[in-house]
Amino acid sequence: MAAAGPWPELEAAARERRRELCLPGAAVAERVAAGGGRLPAALLALPLLQSLELSGCAALRELGPGVAAALPALHTLVLRQNALGPAGLGEGLGGPLPALRLLDLSGNGLEALPAALGGAGDGAGDAAPAFPQLRGLNLSGNRLRELGPGLARAAPQLQELLLSGNRLRALPGGLLPPAGPGAPFPLLSRLDAADNEVAELGADIAALPALKSLDVANNQLRELPSALADCPRLKEANFRGNPLRDKRLEKMVNGCQTKAILEYLRAGGRGKGKAESAREEVRKKKREKQQKKDGGDGEQDEVEEASRLLVKVLHVSENPAPLVVKVSPGVKDVRPFIVCCVLKGVNLKPGNALKRFLSMQTKLHEDICERRTVATIATHDLQLVKAPLTYDIQPPDELKIMPLGRKEIKAKDLLRQLHLEAEEQRKQKKRQNISGLHKYLQLLDGKDNYPCLVDAEGAVISFPPITNSEKTKIKKETRDLFLEVTSNTSLQICKDVMDTLILKTAELNRFTLENKEGSGSDTELDALCGPGSLEPGNLPLVLEQVRVVDTDGNLKVLYPSKTDLATVSSLLTVIR
């Protein structure tokens, strides 16, 4: 790799032992060009890196050798809108990336896949997969004409394959390897190949047993194979924008009636002869036999899908006023890790909804946060939060806060007061066990500075792990939340706790809407859901990304990123 000029972003990442790094393409383009169009050699000195993004850099033509070997913990690699070619990717991806879960190479003008992804020159044979954990692969906006069977060997656990905006002429085409032991891509549930030149959709598409979503819009398809009806889990299909010969089928396609389309194809379509009808009957019996063998798996899927909760992510790029948290350097010695987000659309007004929400937060503190010793949650009314926010440290005799249910007080006086209350409580109850805030007092023992989250007016709205402020207290009327998780242990713990907090909030929100308690009305629910719209339990909450940056504006963490919420994915449907 070339090393042209200083890279302060990489020096800071190494010094702070960062797990995530985002390099804005426009800001680093000159340095990349000066280094021969390669990533800098200093990148190889970040073995802890788990997420790397460098997008929008027209000067980036090569990764350079050794990236895979130097970054074994990498689980997210985003290289959108650069100028990478198969040769330029080949050296960097020449070795296995055992932890990689998301690879985004969209918008690079690739005409062929690199060997590591099963392109020409792939001699993997029976070798171990290069990307055994890869779940998502985005190859949209390139110039690919075909895909080889090597991809199935390189990424056997792939769940999403995005191929829109290429020059593919057949699908699956060469994507599926010759018949062998086990089904290829046994977990592939989403296949997006819109805006290509696909003139043939092969019957072997039914060989993808987990396929749920298929998009082949705006291609050159004149027919749809009846084998589509044999895809056991296919629920969403987009065939619009194709010159289909069957005008009745075209009308169905334009109406986006996936179920009707599959039934039509299953029946043989219009004008099919007896031989084709007989073949359809054989396929139908085979399908029924398989469903019986699986124990009615299709019906189970529908039950599971209906019971899942919905959360829609609003990306920073789509948000006209995204919230940003700036982190001061001093927190790294006190409580270094923080993750934040905004959750909109909660309903705390009916009955005991607010009480249940606060009880849930207390339970999370006891369980997953291990009595706040590994992480602490703070929840705020977003409408009362004055952005931008700063995560900072202050001396105990300078930090002032208005704790929940108390008057404004200095941090040192608050802790002294809490210690006295704890002692009095012990005497009254004649036991050593204490409860409430007193449990967490020892977490600040010996600290010269205390962590705090400060708003744009200079007011402290959070004092972890002790309390947050009366100023941003949540009330029954609160609809939008600002959520904060801090830890002195690890960033991943913050993310895991936040994942669980969002899941539990979504569960409580649906419970509140489904159980129409006092203070909530049918009219209110109708206004939320709309007549004939989503059922209350499936009304999606909106989860806005929040960026945490250093004092120079460099990204430290973005939540939720593409790989977040994976720990609760079996119970939560995330619309990204």
Side-chain angles (χ1 to χ4, degrees):
M1 284 193 177
W7 282 79
E9 303 95 336
L10 301 185
E11 294 170 6
R15 187 172 58 251
E16 298 172 10
R17 299 171 64 83
R18 289 189 195 166
R19 267 65 170 179
E20 298 189 6
L21 180 63
C22 179
L23 298 171
V28 302
E30 288 188 10
R31 283 176 283 168
V32 170
R38 290 183 170 188
L39 292 176
L43 188 65
L44 301 183
L46 301 174
L48 300 179
L49 206 61
Q50 296 178 354
S51 176
L52 171 64
E53 177 172 0
L54 174 52
S55 299
C57 181
L60 183 62
R61 301 190 306 274
E62 304 176 37
L63 291 187
V67 171
L71 305 177
L74 204 63
H75 62 60
T76 300
L77 180 58
V78 179
L79 299 167
R80 292 192 299 260
Q81 302 295 327
N82 297 305
L84 295 165
L89 284 167
E91 284 186 314
L93 299 180
L97 279 167
L100 195 68
R101 298 176 67 88
L102 173 68
L103 178 59
D104 188 344
L105 299 172
S106 59
N108 276 285
L110 290 170
E111 295 182 354
L113 290 182
L117 283 170
D122 169 36
D126 296 327
F131 307 101
Q133 298 298 321
L134 192 65
R135 300 295 194 267
L137 177 60
N138 190 348
L139 295 168
S140 302
N142 286 289
R143 295 195 288 270
L144 298 170
R145 293 187 180 277
E146 60 181 359
L147 300 170
L151 182 57
R153 292 192 299 270
Q157 302 298 309
L158 203 61
Q159 296 177 3
E160 291 193 357
L161 179 57
L162 309 183
L163 301 165
S164 63
N166 281 281
R167 299 175 181 177
L168 299 172
R169 296 177 179 176
L171 199 73
L175 185 63
L176 302 180
F185 298 117
L187 303 179
L188 189 66
S189 61
R190 179 185 176 192
L191 179 58
D192 184 349
D195 300 297
N196 277 271
E197 301 170 7
V198 177
E200 179 187 354
L201 185 60
D204 49 349
I205 192 75
L208 298 172
L211 189 64
K212 289 185 178 182
S213 175
L214 174 67
D215 190 347
V216 287
N218 303 320
N219 279 284
Q220 301 300 318
L221 293 171
R222 300 182 68 80
E223 294 180 350
L224 298 181
S226 56
L228 276 171
D230 295 330
C231 293
R233 298 181 179 231
L234 188 61
K235 289 183 172 65
E236 298 177 13
N238 185 1
F239 304 111
R240 285 173 290 183
N242 284 285
L244 297 169
R245 288 196 184 99
D246 188 330
K247 298 307 174 186
R248 182 181 177 190
L249 179 59
E250 185 178 44
K251 185 176 181 181
M252 289 181 175
V253 163
N254 290 333
C256 209
Q257 305 169 39
T258 301
K259 186 175 181 180
I261 293 168
L262 296 182
E263 289 295 334
Y264 183 71
L265 294 173
R266 183 173 289 124
R270 178 181 291 177
K272 300 293 180 183
K274 292 183 179 179
E276 178 64 20
S277 297
R279 286 194 292 271
E280 288 297 332
E281 186 64 27
V282 170
R283 278 198 291 266
K284 180 179 178 182
K285 289 181 179 179
K286 183 178 179 181
R287 185 170 53 253
E288 290 174 350
K289 184 179 179 181
Q290 183 64 39
Q291 287 181 349
K292 186 176 181 180
K293 181 180 177 182
D294 293 342
D297 202 32
E299 292 181 9
Q300 182 65 27
D301 272 357
E302 291 182 10
V303 172
E304 290 176 358
E305 197 70 27
S307 67
R308 289 165 70 92
L309 300 149
L310 298 177
V311 171
K312 177 175 173 51
V313 175
L314 182 66
H315 296 265
V316 168
S317 59
E318 303 167 342
N319 192 342
L323 201 150
V324 177
V325 177
K326 185 174 289 188
V327 176
S328 70
V331 300
K332 68 180 181 180
D333 299 320
V334 179
R335 195 175 183 85
F337 305 106
I338 182 169
V339 168
C340 304
C341 66
V342 168
L343 189 63
K344 292 187 173 181
V346 299
N347 187 8
L348 302 174
K349 192 172 184 179
N352 293 318
L354 178 58
K355 184 178 180 180
R356 282 193 296 270
F357 177 81
L358 297 176
S359 297
M360 174 269 292
Q361 185 176 331
T362 300
K363 190 173 188 306
L364 291 181
H365 272 146
E366 291 291 315
D367 297 339
I368 190 173
C369 297
E370 298 181 20
R371 297 194 171 190
R372 303 199 193 195
T373 56
V374 298
T376 303
I377 300 165
T379 56
H380 309 264
D381 186 329
L382 180 67
Q383 301 304 316
L384 303 176
V385 173
K386 308 298 181 184
L389 302 175
T390 303
Y391 185 46
D392 203 354
I393 56 170
Q394 293 182 15
D397 57 347
E398 293 182 15
L399 195 161
K400 291 183 179 180
I401 187 171
M402 186 182 293
L404 292 170
R406 299 173 184 257
K407 296 180 179 179
E408 186 177 65
I409 189 173
K410 289 182 178 180
K412 68 173 186 178
D413 296 330
L414 174 62
L415 263 65
R416 186 185 302 116
Q417 192 177 99
L418 292 173
H419 275 295
L420 291 173
E421 291 177 10
E423 188 61 30
E424 183 63 27
Q425 189 180 71
R426 286 194 191 97
K427 291 177 181 179
Q428 288 181 358
K429 296 190 176 181
K430 297 181 181 180
R431 62 184 183 184
Q432 294 300 312
N433 294 335
I434 56 175
S435 61
L437 291 174
H438 310 112
K439 293 178 183 177
Y440 319 120
L441 297 178
Q442 70 274 17
L443 297 177
L444 293 175
D445 287 349
K447 301 288 186 184
D448 295 327
N449 291 290
Y450 292 165
C452 56
L453 191 64
V454 183
D455 70 8
E457 298 175 344
V460 173
I461 64 170
S462 178
F463 173 24
I466 303 300
T467 183
N468 44 308
S469 172
E470 185 77 17
K471 181 178 180 182
T472 56
K473 180 179 178 180
I474 292 174
K475 303 178 179 64
K476 278 182 169 287
E477 294 73 24
T478 300
R479 295 301 307 272
D480 303 332
L481 305 176
F482 173 67
L483 306 177
E484 156 211 343
V485 177
T486 59
S487 172
N488 57 1
T489 306
S490 79
L491 179 63
Q492 190 58 50
I493 285 175
C494 289
K495 290 189 169 191
D496 291 345
V497 171
M498 187 68 85
D499 288 354
T500 306
L501 175 61
I502 290 166
L503 171 64
K504 295 299 182 183
T505 304
E507 289 176 344
L508 288 177
N509 204 53
R510 183 171 66 179
F511 178 87
T512 299
L513 292 170
E514 289 178 346
N515 297 271
K516 302 173 184 178
E517 299 176 284
S519 332
S521 67
D522 291 343
T523 305
E524 182 181 2
L525 287 174
D526 289 343
L528 284 171
C529 300
S533 66
L534 290 170
E535 290 295 321
N538 285 334
L539 187 69
L541 297 168
V542 176
L543 181 60
E544 293 186 4
Q545 289 181 320
V546 170
R547 298 171 71 244
V548 176
V549 302
D550 62 20
T551 50
D552 295 324
N554 297 312
L555 182 68
K556 291 178 69 69
V557 60
L558 174 71
Y559 185 92
S561 67
K562 291 182 179 179
T563 55
D564 292 324
L565 296 167
T567 57
V568 295
S569 60
S570 62
L571 299 170
L572 190 68
T573 297
V574 183
I575 307 168
R576 299 186 189 270

